[in-house]
């Protein structure tokens, strides 16, 4: 199996954390999103969305979408579980993950930001857009964890919610977003930062990091 990614891609970062939590590591191929390598026809042939990550099996089967890849992984390698078994609790964890993966992260995607730039938006307007998307999403995430006691998002062990949260906090830091309104999220991020799977998955630990 090969994981197609990019060191700074937060969606690929999620998959790297999930693999690490399962004690696995894969061969990786980096596609430089800054120089547009995701748009190369050879890559578009395996990922028609021209996004990373993609998981490519040796028999040619391809999985796209980080949460689909992580869901497949969690079913194939059930221990340690990334989701709780109990149905309401499980839906709460999924809702947290989807708040980031569906409603927060896509608004800051390179493709979206480049469309804004092409429509004439100045760089400070683009930055304002990113900050607004992040603060909407992170405010909701902080509220979703209102009744949780930590140290991870939903209890004593890291899982799907944490592996979505950490890259999103990483983006917020990179874009200079004030994290002081989100003390729970910041505390969870600090807990994750000491965990070996989260350390190994960090962008600065990847071979293509610049
Ligand atoms: N929903 C997708 C999102 C994938 C995605 O947006 N990847 C970004 C990097 S984090 C990308 O490849 N962007 C390239 C571009 O916008 O051209 C997933 O979870 O896999």
């Amino acid at each position: 199996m090969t994981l197609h990614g990019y060191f700074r891609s937060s969606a690929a970062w999620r998959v790297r954390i999930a693999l690490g939590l399962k004690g696995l590591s894969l061969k990786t191929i980096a596609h430089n999103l800054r120089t547009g390598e995701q748009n190369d026809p050879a890559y578009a042939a395996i990922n028609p969305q021209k996004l990373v990550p993609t998981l490519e099996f040796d028999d040619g089967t391809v999985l796209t979408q980080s949460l689909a890849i992580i869901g497949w992984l969690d079913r194939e390698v059930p221990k340690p579980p990334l989701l709780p078994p109990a149905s309401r609790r499980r839906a709460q964890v999924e809702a947290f993950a989807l708040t980031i993966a569906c409603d927060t992260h896509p608004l800051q995607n390179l493709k979206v930001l480049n469309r804004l730039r092409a429509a004439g938006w100045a760089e400070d307007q683009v930055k304002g857009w990113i900050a607004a998307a992040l603060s909407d999403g992170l405010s909701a995430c902080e509220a979703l964890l209102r009744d949780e006691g930590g140290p991870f998002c939903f209890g004593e062990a890291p899982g799907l919610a944490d592996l979505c949260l950490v890259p999103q906090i990483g983006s917020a830091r990179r874009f200079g977003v004030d994290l002081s309104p989100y003390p729970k999220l910041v505390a969870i991020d600090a807990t994750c930062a000491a965990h070996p799977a989260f350390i190994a998955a960090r962008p600065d630990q990847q071979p293509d990091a610049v």
Side-chain angles (χ1 to χ4, degrees), residues 46-66:
I46 62 163
N47 186 321
Q49 286 189 286
K50 304 175 191 167
L51 299 172
V52 296
T54 301
L55 185 62
E56 188 178 13
F57 294 79
D58 294 341
D59 69 1
T61 307
V62 158
L63 297 182
T64 63
Q65 288 290 340
S66 60

Side-chain angles (χ1 to χ4, degrees), residues 160-194:
L160 184 69
D162 305 278
L163 63 84
C164 287
L165 176 65
V166 165
Q168 195 60 103
I169 294 280
S171 301
R173 289 209 170 95
R174 189 154 64 88
F175 291 123
V177 171
D178 175 20
L179 292 175
S180 61
Y182 320 114
K184 275 208 159 169
L185 303 184
V186 169
I188 293 162
D189 181 65
T191 303
C192 292

Side-chain angles (χ1 to χ4, degrees), residues 9-11 14 33 38 51-53 65-66 105 109-111:
S9 156
S10 62
R14 291 174 201 148
L33 303 186
Q38 71 277 28
L51 299 172
V52 296
Q65 288 290 340
S66 60
H105 165 262
N109 208 349
L110 190 61
K111 204 180 279 223

Side-chain angles (χ1 to χ4, degrees), residues 102-121:
C102 291
D103 296 336
T104 308
H105 165 262
L107 294 169
Q108 318 136 45
N109 208 349
L110 190 61
K111 204 180 279 223
V112 171
L113 303 183
N114 283 342
R115 289 247 164 109
L116 297 178
R117 291 176 181 123
W121 286 43

